[in-house]
Amino acid sequence: MEAATEGLRMLADPTRFRLLWLLCGAELDVTTLAERLGIARPSVSQHLAKLRLVGLVTQRRDGRRQVYRARDTHVGRLLSEAVRDADHRGTADAPDAHHAHHARHP
């Protein structure tokens, strides 16, 4: 349970969340991730190290570079569920939230 809690804490950081989201769709190297996120490579490397530490990301060598990927499909489902939950909670705070939500999601 402690590892799961640590993994969820890792996702509280918006950059790590976006990084992991990108890695759910493809294997990418640090340079590509830095370009897509608009942040420096050392920062991407630090975030990747934390995500690897809690087991959310794997890496492998591809020639002279390291490529990274989300550990498995469960990670993508976890992220999708977090986005849906955040959307639902944001809608619930709005006036007449129930009707607004169902108008957008029949």
XYZ file of all heavy atoms in Angstrom:
835
model
N 0.820 -1.195 0.000
C 0.000 0.000 0.000
C 0.867 1.264 0.000
O 0.520 2.239 -0.612
C -0.927 -0.039 1.219
C -1.922 1.085 1.258
S -3.133 0.835 -0.034
C -4.338 2.007 0.433
N 1.996 1.212 0.709
C 2.875 2.371 0.777
C 3.420 2.737 -0.600
O 3.509 3.910 -0.938
C 4.027 2.088 1.737
C 4.799 3.317 2.115
C 5.779 3.025 3.218
O 5.366 2.473 4.251
O 6.960 3.340 3.023
N 3.768 1.744 -1.423
C 4.263 2.019 -2.774
C 3.187 2.681 -3.626
O 3.470 3.590 -4.400
C 4.741 0.736 -3.430
N 1.944 2.237 -3.483
C 0.847 2.831 -4.244
C 0.651 4.287 -3.843
O 0.441 5.150 -4.695
C -0.438 2.044 -4.025
N 0.746 4.576 -2.566
C 0.602 5.953 -2.089
C 1.717 6.822 -2.642
O 1.483 7.940 -3.085
C 0.614 5.992 -0.546
O -0.460 5.183 -0.076
C 0.469 7.402 -0.027
N 2.930 6.307 -2.636
C 4.069 7.055 -3.176
C 3.875 7.303 -4.666
O 4.166 8.385 -5.163
C 5.380 6.300 -2.918
C 6.606 7.085 -3.290
C 6.792 8.359 -2.482
O 6.336 8.422 -1.336
O 7.404 9.306 -3.018
N 3.374 6.313 -5.386
C 3.108 6.475 -6.809
C 2.088 7.564 -7.077
O 2.252 8.378 -7.989
N 1.039 7.614 -6.272
C 0.024 8.653 -6.429
C 0.592 10.034 -6.109
O 0.257 11.016 -6.780
C -1.190 8.363 -5.554
C -2.032 7.174 -6.009
C -3.127 6.881 -4.993
C -2.621 7.424 -7.380
N 1.454 10.103 -5.104
C 2.085 11.389 -4.797
C 2.938 11.868 -5.959
O 3.026 13.064 -6.218
C 2.933 11.273 -3.536
C 2.150 11.600 -2.302
C 3.039 12.034 -1.174
N 4.280 11.294 -1.103
C 4.751 10.748 -0.009
N 4.109 10.856 1.115
N 5.884 10.101 -0.025
N 3.567 10.949 -6.654
C 4.379 11.323 -7.808
C 3.518 11.997 -8.883
O 3.973 12.883 -9.592
C 5.040 10.086 -8.435
C 6.189 9.521 -7.666
S 7.602 10.610 -7.715
C 7.927 10.743 -5.979
N 2.271 11.581 -8.989
C 1.385 12.114 -10.024
C 0.791 13.464 -9.640
O 0.155 14.114 -10.457
C 0.264 11.121 -10.313
C 0.732 9.778 -10.854
C -0.450 8.863 -11.087
C 1.542 9.951 -12.117
N 0.994 13.897 -8.406
C 0.485 15.197 -7.980
C 1.227 16.341 -8.665
O 0.706 17.435 -8.786
C 0.583 15.342 -6.468
N 2.425 16.072 -9.132
C 3.203 17.080 -9.847
C 2.727 17.120 -11.302
O 2.769 16.095 -11.990
C 4.685 16.720 -9.788
C 5.540 17.740 -10.493
O 5.556 17.738 -11.750
O 6.193 18.536 -9.811
N 2.281 18.282 -11.798
C 1.739 18.353 -13.164
C 2.739 17.939 -14.248
O 2.355 17.320 -15.242
C 1.339 19.820 -13.342
C 1.356 20.423 -11.996
C 2.192 19.552 -11.110
N 4.013 18.254 -14.054
C 5.013 17.871 -15.059
C 5.164 16.361 -15.110
O 5.212 15.776 -16.191
C 6.364 18.541 -14.760
O 6.188 19.957 -14.793
C 7.415 18.133 -15.781
N 5.216 15.706 -13.964
C 5.335 14.243 -13.957
C 4.079 13.599 -14.546
O 4.165 12.596 -15.247
C 5.610 13.726 -12.553
C 7.053 13.921 -12.152
C 7.418 13.139 -10.914
N 6.795 13.655 -9.714
C 7.332 14.562 -8.916
N 8.516 15.076 -9.190
N 6.704 14.951 -7.844
N 2.927 14.180 -14.251
C 1.681 13.653 -14.809
C 1.734 13.726 -16.334
O 1.457 12.739 -17.026
C 0.481 14.450 -14.272
C -0.845 13.811 -14.581
C -1.470 13.011 -13.639
C -1.467 14.012 -15.800
C -2.687 12.411 -13.911
C -2.678 13.422 -16.087
C -3.304 12.617 -15.144
N 2.106 14.875 -16.875
C 2.196 15.048 -18.340
C 3.254 14.125 -18.942
O 3.052 13.544 -20.013
C 2.508 16.505 -18.671
C 1.347 17.437 -18.350
C 1.700 18.906 -18.516
N 2.254 19.187 -19.831
C 3.219 20.074 -20.046
N 3.734 20.762 -19.051
N 3.668 20.280 -21.250
N 4.363 13.996 -18.265
C 5.441 13.126 -18.713
C 4.960 11.683 -18.817
O 5.150 11.009 -19.833
C 6.602 13.245 -17.726
C 7.880 12.492 -17.979
C 8.567 13.003 -19.219
C 8.802 12.666 -16.785
N 4.313 11.239 -17.780
C 3.807 9.871 -17.758
C 2.725 9.671 -18.812
O 2.649 8.627 -19.452
C 3.287 9.531 -16.361
C 3.076 8.068 -16.044
C 4.321 7.243 -16.347
C 2.686 7.904 -14.587
N 1.900 10.693 -19.018
C 0.855 10.620 -20.047
C 1.493 10.378 -21.420
O 1.038 9.528 -22.188
C 0.043 11.915 -20.034
C -1.138 11.885 -20.943
C -1.201 12.335 -22.225
C -2.432 11.357 -20.647
N -2.455 12.133 -22.732
C -3.226 11.541 -21.793
C -2.979 10.765 -19.510
C -4.564 11.141 -21.833
C -4.308 10.370 -19.560
C -5.080 10.557 -20.713
N 2.559 11.119 -21.719
C 3.259 10.928 -22.997
C 3.841 9.524 -23.105
O 3.814 8.909 -24.173
C 4.384 11.960 -23.145
C 3.968 13.399 -23.384
C 5.184 14.319 -23.296
C 3.275 13.549 -24.731
N 4.348 9.000 -21.999
C 4.989 7.688 -22.014
C 3.979 6.537 -22.071
O 4.363 5.398 -22.293
C 5.908 7.536 -20.802
C 7.125 8.461 -20.826
C 7.890 8.363 -19.525
C 8.016 8.151 -22.023
N 2.720 6.828 -21.865
C 1.694 5.791 -22.019
C 1.453 5.480 -23.494
O 0.977 4.397 -23.828
C 0.383 6.223 -21.369
S 0.427 6.088 -19.581
N 1.788 6.413 -24.360
C 1.520 6.229 -25.776
C 2.705 5.792 -26.610
O 2.539 5.332 -27.731
N 3.913 5.943 -26.080
C 5.088 5.642 -26.892
C 6.334 5.560 -26.020
O 6.355 6.053 -24.899
C 5.284 6.732 -27.943
N 7.357 4.938 -26.579
C 8.689 4.985 -25.966
C 9.350 6.262 -26.458
O 9.386 6.521 -27.660
C 9.537 3.797 -26.403
C 9.204 2.511 -25.725
C 10.182 1.418 -26.095
O 10.678 1.410 -27.240
O 10.455 0.583 -25.233
N 9.868 7.047 -25.527
C 10.485 8.320 -25.895
C 11.773 8.509 -25.128
O 11.930 8.014 -24.012
C 9.524 9.475 -25.582
C 8.187 9.433 -26.324
C 7.218 10.443 -25.723
C 8.385 9.690 -27.800
N 12.699 9.269 -25.724
C 13.942 9.585 -25.038
C 13.826 10.936 -24.335
O 12.841 11.661 -24.509
C 15.128 9.548 -26.001
C 15.037 10.600 -27.106
O 14.205 11.518 -27.022
O 15.822 10.493 -28.057
N 14.826 11.271 -23.537
C 14.797 12.491 -22.735
C 14.696 13.733 -23.614
O 13.928 14.655 -23.309
C 16.037 12.569 -21.809
C 16.128 13.925 -21.123
C 15.992 11.463 -20.776
N 15.435 13.776 -24.713
C 15.413 14.948 -25.592
C 14.024 15.178 -26.163
O 13.517 16.305 -26.161
C 16.448 14.785 -26.731
O 17.745 14.638 -26.153
C 16.429 15.975 -27.662
N 13.389 14.133 -26.634
C 12.043 14.253 -27.199
C 11.049 14.692 -26.128
O 10.211 15.565 -26.359
C 11.596 12.919 -27.824
O 12.546 12.550 -28.827
C 10.214 13.029 -28.436
N 11.153 14.105 -24.942
C 10.261 14.486 -23.846
C 10.454 15.959 -23.471
O 9.479 16.689 -23.263
C 10.502 13.590 -22.633
C 9.988 12.154 -22.788
C 10.604 11.257 -21.720
C 8.472 12.116 -22.735
N 11.703 16.396 -23.407
C 11.989 17.795 -23.067
C 11.372 18.745 -24.097
O 10.778 19.769 -23.737
C 13.498 18.014 -22.967
N 11.495 18.391 -25.370
C 10.921 19.226 -26.428
C 9.400 19.278 -26.327
O 8.797 20.343 -26.439
C 11.336 18.688 -27.795
C 12.797 18.898 -28.110
C 13.259 18.139 -29.350
O 12.450 17.389 -29.953
O 14.438 18.292 -29.708
N 8.778 18.136 -26.127
C 7.310 18.091 -26.065
C 6.754 18.799 -24.840
O 5.671 19.365 -24.880
C 6.822 16.654 -26.112
C 7.063 16.031 -27.470
C 6.344 14.739 -27.625
N 6.667 14.132 -28.908
C 6.262 12.943 -29.260
N 5.520 12.209 -28.441
N 6.585 12.450 -30.437
N 7.495 18.756 -23.738
C 7.032 19.390 -22.501
C 7.494 20.841 -22.372
O 6.995 21.581 -21.532
C 7.515 18.594 -21.287
C 6.922 17.197 -21.142
C 7.626 16.439 -20.036
C 5.426 17.271 -20.874
N 8.479 21.218 -23.182
C 9.002 22.575 -23.116
C 9.797 22.846 -21.850
O 9.768 23.948 -21.305
N 10.517 21.826 -21.370
C 11.359 21.988 -20.181
C 12.754 21.445 -20.475
O 12.963 20.736 -21.462
C 10.756 21.300 -18.935
C 10.603 19.794 -19.137
C 9.412 21.912 -18.585
C 10.115 19.052 -17.901
N 13.699 21.766 -19.615
C 15.094 21.367 -19.810
C 15.283 19.858 -19.616
O 14.586 19.230 -18.812
C 15.986 22.124 -18.829
N 16.236 19.306 -20.365
C 16.526 17.866 -20.259
C 16.898 17.421 -18.845
O 16.434 16.371 -18.404
C 17.618 17.465 -21.256
C 17.093 17.439 -22.691
C 18.140 16.968 -23.641
N 19.295 17.872 -23.538
C 20.409 17.748 -24.211
N 20.580 16.742 -25.024
N 21.385 18.597 -24.064
N 17.724 18.191 -18.105
C 18.032 17.742 -16.737
C 16.774 17.618 -15.861
O 16.667 16.707 -15.045
C 18.968 18.823 -16.203
C 19.605 19.399 -17.427
C 18.525 19.364 -18.477
N 15.821 18.500 -16.066
C 14.579 18.432 -15.299
C 13.787 17.168 -15.669
O 13.264 16.474 -14.790
C 13.730 19.681 -15.565
O 12.542 19.633 -14.838
N 13.737 16.873 -16.963
C 13.059 15.646 -17.410
C 13.733 14.425 -16.795
O 13.063 13.524 -16.282
C 13.055 15.535 -18.952
C 12.572 14.168 -19.413
C 12.185 16.624 -19.564
N 15.050 14.399 -16.800
C 15.789 13.274 -16.233
C 15.480 13.090 -14.750
O 15.320 11.966 -14.277
C 17.294 13.463 -16.429
O 17.610 13.393 -17.803
N 15.393 14.193 -14.018
C 15.081 14.105 -12.591
C 13.670 13.548 -12.366
O 13.456 12.705 -11.493
C 15.214 15.477 -11.929
C 16.638 15.924 -11.818
C 16.766 17.342 -11.285
O 15.771 18.029 -11.045
N 17.991 17.792 -11.102
N 12.722 14.017 -13.154
C 11.347 13.511 -13.040
C 11.289 12.022 -13.397
O 10.615 11.242 -12.710
C 10.396 14.303 -13.928
C 10.076 15.662 -13.415
N 9.402 15.886 -12.235
C 10.329 16.888 -13.936
C 9.248 17.181 -12.051
N 9.804 17.811 -13.065
N 11.995 11.635 -14.456
C 12.010 10.224 -14.852
C 12.608 9.352 -13.759
O 12.119 8.247 -13.509
C 12.792 10.047 -16.158
C 12.086 10.511 -17.426
C 13.062 10.523 -18.596
C 10.885 9.630 -17.728
N 13.662 9.834 -13.114
C 14.289 9.061 -12.038
C 13.288 8.807 -10.912
O 13.215 7.695 -10.369
C 15.518 9.798 -11.513
N 12.498 9.801 -10.566
C 11.499 9.635 -9.514
C 10.406 8.656 -9.940
O 9.971 7.818 -9.150
C 10.897 10.988 -9.146
C 11.873 11.878 -8.423
C 11.293 13.238 -8.122
C 12.347 14.094 -7.433
N 11.835 15.420 -7.128
N 9.969 8.765 -11.187
C 8.934 7.852 -11.686
C 9.451 6.418 -11.768
O 8.711 5.466 -11.508
C 8.419 8.322 -13.045
C 7.604 9.620 -13.025
C 7.370 10.130 -14.436
C 6.292 9.423 -12.286
N 10.715 6.249 -12.122
C 11.317 4.906 -12.147
C 11.438 4.353 -10.733
O 11.214 3.167 -10.506
C 12.692 4.948 -12.804
C 12.616 5.054 -14.314
C 13.978 5.046 -14.995
N 14.832 3.996 -14.492
C 16.080 4.188 -14.048
N 16.619 5.384 -14.058
N 16.801 3.181 -13.611
N 11.791 5.201 -9.791
C 11.966 4.785 -8.403
C 10.695 4.147 -7.835
O 10.765 3.176 -7.097
C 12.383 5.987 -7.557
C 12.732 5.707 -6.110
C 13.995 4.832 -6.024
C 12.966 7.012 -5.359
N 9.534 4.684 -8.204
C 8.274 4.127 -7.694
C 7.667 3.097 -8.652
O 6.574 2.603 -8.421
C 7.245 5.235 -7.356
C 7.756 6.107 -6.234
C 6.870 6.041 -8.579
N 8.385 2.782 -9.736
C 7.965 1.706 -10.618
C 6.913 2.063 -11.653
O 6.288 1.174 -12.227
N 6.728 3.352 -11.939
C 5.732 3.740 -12.937
C 6.299 3.783 -14.351
O 5.553 3.741 -15.327
C 5.131 5.103 -12.584
C 4.275 5.131 -11.318
C 3.877 6.557 -10.968
C 3.051 4.240 -11.480
N 7.634 3.864 -14.458
C 8.303 3.995 -15.760
C 9.416 2.954 -15.853
O 10.090 2.659 -14.869
C 8.895 5.423 -15.899
C 9.816 5.531 -17.102
C 7.783 6.455 -16.016
N 9.577 2.423 -17.061
C 10.705 1.529 -17.335
C 11.594 2.185 -18.385
O 11.166 3.089 -19.101
C 10.221 0.160 -17.859
O 9.512 0.339 -19.083
C 9.325 -0.535 -16.842
N 12.813 1.709 -18.470
C 13.735 2.225 -19.478
C 14.471 1.070 -20.120
O 14.599 -0.010 -19.542
C 14.722 3.212 -18.874
C 15.871 2.557 -18.120
C 16.844 3.564 -17.577
O 16.509 4.287 -16.654
N 18.039 3.587 -18.135
N 14.928 1.315 -21.341
C 15.765 0.342 -22.036
C 16.689 1.105 -22.967
O 16.414 2.228 -23.366
C 14.935 -0.689 -22.794
C 14.225 -0.157 -24.009
C 13.531 -1.263 -24.820
N 12.921 -0.689 -25.992
C 13.551 -0.439 -27.143
N 14.826 -0.732 -27.284
N 12.908 0.102 -28.166
N 17.784 0.456 -23.289
C 18.751 1.061 -24.198
C 18.324 0.775 -25.635
O 17.928 -0.335 -25.974
C 20.143 0.504 -23.943
C 21.199 1.154 -24.820
C 22.596 0.895 -24.343
N 22.950 1.561 -23.106
C 23.169 2.874 -22.969
N 23.020 3.669 -23.992
N 23.529 3.381 -21.812
N 18.383 1.827 -26.468
C 18.101 1.716 -27.899
C 19.277 2.358 -28.618
O 19.307 3.576 -28.804
C 16.785 2.411 -28.243
C 16.424 2.281 -29.718
O 16.847 1.297 -30.358
O 15.722 3.181 -30.226
N 20.263 1.547 -28.946
C 21.496 2.094 -29.511
C 22.248 2.871 -28.443
O 22.537 2.348 -27.376
N 22.496 4.157 -28.721
C 23.232 4.991 -27.767
C 22.330 5.768 -26.828
O 22.802 6.519 -25.998
C 24.117 5.970 -28.543
C 25.240 5.257 -29.274
C 26.079 6.179 -30.093
N 26.345 7.442 -29.410
C 26.994 8.445 -29.939
N 27.453 8.346 -31.158
N 27.179 9.562 -29.266
N 21.044 5.631 -26.960
C 20.143 6.413 -26.114
C 19.282 5.512 -25.237
O 19.115 4.330 -25.520
C 19.259 7.324 -26.973
C 18.340 6.559 -27.866
C 17.626 7.448 -28.889
N 16.700 6.616 -29.619
C 15.408 6.815 -29.690
N 14.872 7.864 -29.118
N 14.638 5.986 -30.345
N 18.766 6.100 -24.178
C 17.819 5.426 -23.298
C 16.419 5.867 -23.708
O 16.190 7.059 -23.929
C 18.059 5.835 -21.836
C 19.374 5.394 -21.275
C 19.403 3.900 -21.010
O 18.397 3.276 -20.725
N 20.577 3.316 -21.115
N 15.510 4.911 -23.816
C 14.122 5.251 -24.082
C 13.282 4.803 -22.891
O 13.600 3.820 -22.219
C 13.591 4.633 -25.402
C 14.236 5.293 -26.608
C 13.797 3.142 -25.433
N 12.224 5.536 -22.665
C 11.374 5.329 -21.497
C 9.950 5.050 -21.945
O 9.526 5.496 -23.007
C 11.392 6.580 -20.601
C 12.770 6.877 -20.080
C 13.684 7.604 -20.843
C 13.169 6.411 -18.843
C 14.959 7.856 -20.377
C 14.446 6.664 -18.368
C 15.329 7.385 -19.149
O 16.592 7.626 -18.676
N 9.234 4.314 -21.101
C 7.842 3.965 -21.374
C 7.139 3.770 -20.040
O 7.754 3.393 -19.050
C 7.792 2.674 -22.191
C 6.396 2.102 -22.380
C 6.377 0.844 -23.209
N 6.331 1.019 -24.624
C 5.327 1.601 -25.300
N 4.321 2.104 -24.681
N 5.352 1.677 -26.598
N 5.825 4.018 -20.039
C 5.045 3.709 -18.840
C 5.143 2.210 -18.595
O 5.198 1.411 -19.538
C 3.595 4.124 -19.034
N 5.176 1.814 -17.340
C 5.388 0.415 -16.966
C 4.434 -0.546 -17.673
O 4.845 -1.575 -18.179
C 5.252 0.264 -15.454
C 5.508 -1.158 -14.980
C 5.125 -1.359 -13.533
N 3.683 -1.257 -13.405
C 3.060 -0.654 -12.404
N 3.748 -0.094 -11.445
N 1.757 -0.616 -12.355
N 3.149 -0.233 -17.697
C 2.181 -1.122 -18.342
C 0.888 -0.362 -18.603
O 0.795 0.833 -18.316
C 1.927 -2.370 -17.490
C 1.505 -2.058 -16.074
O 0.839 -1.019 -15.855
O 1.831 -2.840 -15.167
N -0.111 -1.042 -19.121
C -1.372 -0.391 -19.471
C -2.138 0.076 -18.241
O -2.980 0.965 -18.346
C -2.265 -1.328 -20.304
O -2.495 -2.529 -19.557
C -1.610 -1.666 -21.632
N -1.843 -0.489 -17.085
C -2.521 -0.053 -15.856
C -2.216 1.412 -15.556
O -3.061 2.135 -15.027
C -2.104 -0.917 -14.662
C -2.481 -2.357 -14.817
N -3.775 -2.792 -14.745
C -1.728 -3.444 -15.066
C -3.809 -4.105 -14.933
N -2.577 -4.517 -15.138
N -1.026 1.858 -15.889
C -0.639 3.246 -15.640
C -1.520 4.179 -16.469
O -2.024 5.184 -15.968
C 0.861 3.476 -15.945
C 1.221 4.947 -15.845
C 1.730 2.636 -15.017
N -1.734 3.850 -17.725
C -2.594 4.662 -18.581
C -4.023 4.717 -18.068
O -4.660 5.773 -18.079
N -4.514 3.587 -17.588
C -5.875 3.574 -17.030
C -5.953 4.418 -15.768
O -6.940 5.123 -15.536
C -6.327 2.143 -16.775
C -6.655 1.409 -18.075
C -7.461 0.148 -17.826
N -6.722 -0.855 -17.086
C -6.026 -1.846 -17.638
N -5.974 -1.976 -18.938
N -5.398 -2.724 -16.881
N -4.915 4.366 -14.948
C -4.866 5.178 -13.736
C -4.916 6.666 -14.087
O -5.679 7.432 -13.484
C -3.594 4.870 -12.942
C -3.312 5.754 -11.736
C -4.324 5.495 -10.633
C -1.909 5.497 -11.230
N -4.140 7.077 -15.072
C -4.127 8.482 -15.481
C -5.475 8.902 -16.057
O -5.983 9.985 -15.742
C -3.020 8.732 -16.500
C -1.593 8.550 -16.016
C -0.616 8.798 -17.150
C -1.289 9.444 -14.847
N -6.048 8.064 -16.887
C -7.358 8.372 -17.474
C -8.415 8.530 -16.396
O -9.241 9.444 -16.444
C -7.781 7.275 -18.456
O -6.929 7.253 -19.557
N -8.388 7.648 -15.419
C -9.348 7.721 -14.317
C -9.146 9.001 -13.513
O -10.118 9.646 -13.105
C -9.222 6.496 -13.412
C -10.236 6.443 -12.310
C -11.675 6.345 -12.795
O -11.926 5.759 -13.850
O -12.554 6.881 -12.090
N -7.899 9.395 -13.293
C -7.613 10.633 -12.555
C -8.160 11.844 -13.302
O -8.743 12.749 -12.697
C -6.110 10.774 -12.325
N -8.005 11.861 -14.621
C -8.519 12.970 -15.423
C -10.043 12.996 -15.372
O -10.648 14.051 -15.176
C -8.008 12.877 -16.883
C -8.741 13.853 -17.790
C -6.507 13.113 -16.927
N -10.673 11.836 -15.525
C -12.139 11.776 -15.456
C -12.643 12.225 -14.083
O -13.619 12.959 -13.979
C -12.640 10.367 -15.758
C -12.784 10.091 -17.231
C -13.582 8.820 -17.484
N -13.005 7.646 -16.854
C -12.043 6.893 -17.369
N -11.537 7.205 -18.538
N -11.580 5.844 -16.720
N -11.961 11.792 -13.031
C -12.371 12.160 -11.679
C -12.224 13.668 -11.470
O -13.113 14.305 -10.903
C -11.546 11.394 -10.651
C -12.003 11.684 -9.232
O -13.166 11.358 -8.908
O -11.213 12.253 -8.464
N -11.122 14.227 -11.927
C -10.913 15.673 -11.785
C -11.969 16.449 -12.563
O -12.493 17.453 -12.081
C -9.510 16.053 -12.255
N -12.306 15.982 -13.756
C -13.338 16.630 -14.566
C -14.677 16.564 -13.852
O -15.412 17.539 -13.767
C -13.428 15.970 -15.946
C -14.487 16.626 -16.806
O -14.468 17.865 -16.940
O -15.337 15.894 -17.362
N -14.988 15.407 -13.300
C -16.262 15.228 -12.607
C -16.330 16.112 -11.357
O -17.343 16.748 -11.085
C -16.461 13.756 -12.225
C -17.752 13.504 -11.527
N -18.959 13.540 -12.172
C -18.025 13.240 -10.229
C -19.927 13.308 -11.304
N -19.382 13.118 -10.116
N -15.232 16.169 -10.609
C -15.206 16.996 -9.397
C -15.320 18.475 -9.745
O -16.003 19.227 -9.064
C -13.939 16.757 -8.596
C -13.936 15.424 -7.895
C -12.607 15.209 -7.168
N -12.494 13.869 -6.686
C -12.919 13.477 -5.494
N -13.472 14.329 -4.684
N -12.781 12.228 -5.119
N -14.659 18.886 -10.808
C -14.753 20.285 -11.241
C -16.171 20.634 -11.653
O -16.678 21.709 -11.352
N -16.829 19.714 -12.307
C -18.206 19.923 -12.723
C -19.133 19.936 -11.521
O -20.086 20.711 -11.468
C -18.641 18.798 -13.694
O -17.722 18.765 -14.783
C -20.026 19.038 -14.229
N -18.850 19.128 -10.527
C -19.705 19.045 -9.347
C -19.698 20.343 -8.550
O -20.652 20.637 -7.837
C -19.258 17.885 -8.458
N -18.642 21.142 -8.673
C -18.559 22.403 -7.940
C -19.322 23.530 -8.624
O -19.588 24.557 -8.029
C -17.092 22.827 -7.777
C -16.329 21.865 -6.877
O -16.970 21.174 -6.063
O -15.097 21.800 -7.006
N -19.668 23.335 -9.882
C -20.356 24.378 -10.640
C -21.850 24.386 -10.301
O -22.412 23.371 -9.926
C -20.158 24.135 -12.135
N -22.501 25.545 -10.464
C -23.952 25.577 -10.258
C -24.632 24.651 -11.245
O -24.230 24.546 -12.396
C -24.321 27.039 -10.538
C -23.039 27.800 -10.494
C -21.938 26.827 -10.793
N -25.650 23.998 -10.779
C -26.418 23.074 -11.602
C -25.494 22.064 -12.287
O -25.621 21.767 -13.470
C -27.253 23.839 -12.638
C -28.423 23.010 -13.132
O -28.788 22.020 -12.467
O -28.967 23.359 -14.199
N -24.551 21.573 -11.534
C -23.490 20.709 -12.063
C -24.027 19.447 -12.707
O -23.536 19.035 -13.754
C -22.523 20.339 -10.952
N -24.998 18.832 -12.118
C -25.505 17.575 -12.648
C -25.994 17.758 -14.078
O -25.662 16.986 -14.968
C -26.635 17.054 -11.751
C -27.223 15.767 -12.224
N -26.569 14.569 -12.072
C -28.382 15.495 -12.870
C -27.302 13.610 -12.592
N -28.421 14.148 -13.073
N -26.732 18.805 -14.333
C -27.261 19.038 -15.681
C -26.157 19.433 -16.655
O -26.158 18.999 -17.800
C -28.351 20.109 -15.638
C -29.539 19.677 -14.833
N -30.372 18.670 -15.239
C -29.998 20.106 -13.632
C -31.313 18.496 -14.336
N -31.102 19.351 -13.339
N -25.213 20.239 -16.195
C -24.108 20.645 -17.072
C -23.272 19.454 -17.478
O -22.886 19.306 -18.629
C -23.233 21.695 -16.370
N -22.981 18.567 -16.536
C -22.168 17.390 -16.826
C -22.877 16.497 -17.854
O -22.277 16.048 -18.813
C -21.882 16.610 -15.549
C -21.133 15.333 -15.782
N -19.799 15.328 -16.076
C -21.536 14.040 -15.802
C -19.391 14.094 -16.250
N -20.434 13.289 -16.079
N -24.156 16.250 -17.645
C -24.876 15.350 -18.546
C -25.156 15.996 -19.890
O -25.321 15.290 -20.884
C -26.152 14.836 -17.880
C -25.833 13.864 -16.790
N -25.375 12.596 -17.045
C -25.865 13.989 -15.437
C -25.147 11.961 -15.897
N -25.429 12.800 -14.905
N -25.162 17.293 -19.968
C -25.299 17.960 -21.255
C -24.053 17.749 -22.110
O -24.115 17.584 -23.317
C -25.546 19.460 -21.064
N -22.887 17.699 -21.435
C -21.627 17.474 -22.155
C -21.360 16.004 -22.398
O -20.657 15.644 -23.325
C -20.446 18.052 -21.373
C -20.402 19.558 -21.395
C -19.164 20.061 -20.708
N -19.272 19.762 -19.293
C -18.242 19.439 -18.531
N -17.046 19.384 -19.022
N -18.400 19.170 -17.249
N -21.875 15.140 -21.534
C -21.613 13.697 -21.614
C -22.930 12.928 -21.570
O -23.251 12.314 -20.558
C -20.733 13.245 -20.434
C -19.484 14.034 -20.297
N -18.406 13.847 -21.112
C -19.148 15.042 -19.446
C -17.447 14.682 -20.753
N -17.882 15.421 -19.769
N -23.681 12.953 -22.654
C -24.984 12.262 -22.634
C -24.852 10.765 -22.454
O -23.886 10.161 -22.712
C -25.594 12.586 -23.983
C -24.563 13.286 -24.798
C -23.382 13.568 -23.913
